[in-house]
Amino acid sequence: MTTATPLTPPTVRHGSDFARLSRKITEAGLLGRRPGYYTARITTVAGLYAVGWTAFAFVGPSWWTLAIAAFMAVLYGQVALVAHDMAHRQVFRRRRASEVSGRAAAALIGMGYGWWQDKHTRHHANPNTEGLDPDIDPDVLVWTQEQAGAATGLPRLLGRWQAFLFFPLLTLEGLNLHVSSGRSITNRSLKHRALDGILLFAHCAVYLTALFWVLPPGMAFAFLAVHQCLFGVYLGSVFAPNHKGMPILSADDRPDFLRRQVLTSRNVDGGWFTDLALGGLNHQIEHHLFPSMPSPNLRKARTIVRHYCRELGVDYAETGLIASYRLVLTSLHRAGTPLRKSAYRSERRVQDKG
């Protein structure tokens, strides 16, 4: 694992397709900061976060706390989206302010900021590229038939029916985020890993102490399950439509920056509620082209980018939210085909011997 770097696009040569697009975006004023928007958004999310935990304390040992657990799952997702924008320098222009605020936001949900930023930086540099994008490593699921053919262990066991297991597995995504953050502390190449470890431990200690201090054990475990499982489903549902089911590149494929970002990303149609629920990441193509662009500007940039891609003859993928999930599941089912065929051949051999 390498040390994280700022999540910004690489320098491009003057006159490239991306450089011309960048000039159009700059002339439209879409790269400017939006302090008013982020002040309102951060204040609202922080206020609701505080209200949620205050309600938890006042309601006390009652099964109504499970409704609060569901509410806090959504708030944890919203805090994660704010931390994402901070890491991309959408909120603050300076690196120091972005890092401090992003780490503070990550601490509120028990996420290791350094681990996530390193992982996300590598994803942005090479989206959907085998061996380079950590988001398509075959750790639990397989994303291509080649990965399925070489799969062992858990990916081989789950791969045959992974399309059916995808959403149930998302219930574990919150736990995976906490565990991966904790494991990363042992990585000596990660900057500020001691600080991340302290913040992660503090969050877990305060969180678990609050649950088992206020609630009886059975109710506390129920709150923990509802909160963390719904948090995982929400977070996974936000990020899944963005790249899953889009073309996967090999490490030898080297399209230019614009095509590498556009051809591997998918936009999700919708109005203001979609923007709110997905934190602006429904404009994934524009976000990947201009990661430091404030999220409220992405919708305006979408019109410019879509028109420019059509001029260049570059495929620009956009679909509805439900359709995007269908495409994700179809892609997962197709990737698991070799494992189903292998299982079928094994069953036939057993039957023939019998």
Side-chain angles (χ1 to χ4, degrees):
M1 184 179 289
T2 57
T3 301
T5 55
L7 305 179
T8 53
T11 301
V12 293
R13 294 188 299 273
H14 181 77
S16 69
D17 289 336
F18 176 72
R20 289 190 290 274
L21 174 61
S22 184
R23 284 196 293 273
K24 291 176 180 287
I25 294 295
T26 302
E27 290 168 1
L30 297 178
L31 295 177
R33 302 300 96 186
R34 294 288 300 272
Y37 166 83
Y38 277 111
T39 298
R41 179 178 170 187
I42 293 170
T43 300
T44 300
V45 171
L48 290 174
Y49 184 94
V51 166
W53 284 121
T54 301
F56 167 79
F58 273 102
V59 171
S62 164
W63 288 110
W64 282 107
T65 55
L66 297 187
I68 298 173
F71 175 77
M72 291 308 299
V74 175
L75 260 296
Y76 265 45
Q78 285 292 313
V79 172
L81 291 170
V82 169
H84 169 272
D85 285 10
M86 289 170 169
H88 277 293
R89 299 193 196 178
Q90 295 177 21
V91 183
F92 304 105
R93 192 179 302 277
R94 293 186 178 275
R95 179 176 182 174
R96 176 69 173 172
S98 299
E99 185 174 315
V100 170
S101 59
R103 182 167 273 109
L108 291 176
I109 59 173
M111 181 178 75
Y113 179 81
W115 159 77
W116 175 84
Q117 190 191 44
D118 176 84
K119 178 175 177 288
H120 198 60
T121 299
R122 289 183 284 132
H123 159 70
H124 263 265
N126 295 282
N128 266 27
T129 304
E130 281 196 89
L132 297 175
D133 182 358
D135 287 356
I136 59 168
D137 286 343
D139 50 356
V140 175
L141 304 178
V142 293
W143 305 103
T144 67
Q145 293 190 4
E146 290 73 23
Q147 288 182 352
T152 59
L154 197 57
R156 187 171 187 83
L157 178 65
L158 301 180
R160 284 182 293 170
W161 310 114
Q162 60 183 12
F164 301 96
L165 296 172
F166 180 69
F167 281 104
L169 285 172
L170 287 185
T171 61
L172 301 176
E173 187 59 29
L175 176 63
N176 176 60
L177 182 147
H178 304 313
V179 171
S180 296
S181 296
R183 291 174 58 187
S184 71
I185 296 170
T186 62
N187 182 1
R188 295 186 177 183
S189 68
L190 204 63
K191 294 178 63 176
H192 307 301
R193 64 192 181 100
L195 176 58
D196 282 346
I198 292 170
L199 292 174
L200 181 62
F201 176 80
H203 171 86
C204 292
V206 172
Y207 176 79
L208 293 176
T209 298
L211 292 195
F212 288 93
W213 182 273
V214 173
L215 304 176
M219 203 173 287
F221 279 115
F223 184 100
L224 181 68
V226 171
H227 180 210
Q228 295 298 327
C229 288
L230 291 183
F231 170 49
V233 171
Y234 179 34
L235 206 59
S237 298
V238 168
F239 286 96
N242 302 337
H243 302 280
K244 303 300 184 280
M246 295 302 292
I248 293 180
L249 308 177
S250 72
D252 296 328
D253 294 325
R254 300 310 300 171
D256 64 16
F257 177 76
L258 183 143
R259 288 164 179 80
R260 184 163 71 250
Q261 303 300 335
V262 174
L263 296 176
T264 59
S265 303
R266 177 193 297 114
N267 279 2
V268 174
D269 292 329
W272 67 268
F273 183 77
T274 305
D275 284 0
L276 175 65
L278 303 186
L281 295 182
N282 45 310
H283 309 290
Q284 188 67 193
I285 294 172
E286 289 70 31
H287 171 61
H288 261 255
L289 288 170
F290 304 98
S292 63
M293 179 184 291
S295 59
N297 292 349
L298 293 170
R299 179 174 289 277
K300 295 178 181 178
R302 189 172 184 167
T303 303
I304 298 173
V305 173
R306 183 197 294 119
H307 180 72
Y308 186 74
C309 286
R310 287 174 179 169
E311 287 182 347
L312 294 177
V314 175
D315 288 341
Y316 183 98
E318 52 186 349
T319 188
L321 183 60
I322 302 304
S324 73
Y325 292 137
R326 184 169 60 248
L327 291 170
V328 170
L329 297 179
T330 300
S331 174
L332 284 170
H333 192 66
R334 187 184 304 115
T337 299
L339 295 174
R340 290 192 297 277
K341 289 182 176 179
S342 176
Y344 176 75
R345 288 193 295 268
S346 297
E347 291 172 1
R348 287 298 301 268
R349 284 196 294 268
V350 170
Q351 291 174 358
D352 292 342
K353 289 180 180 179

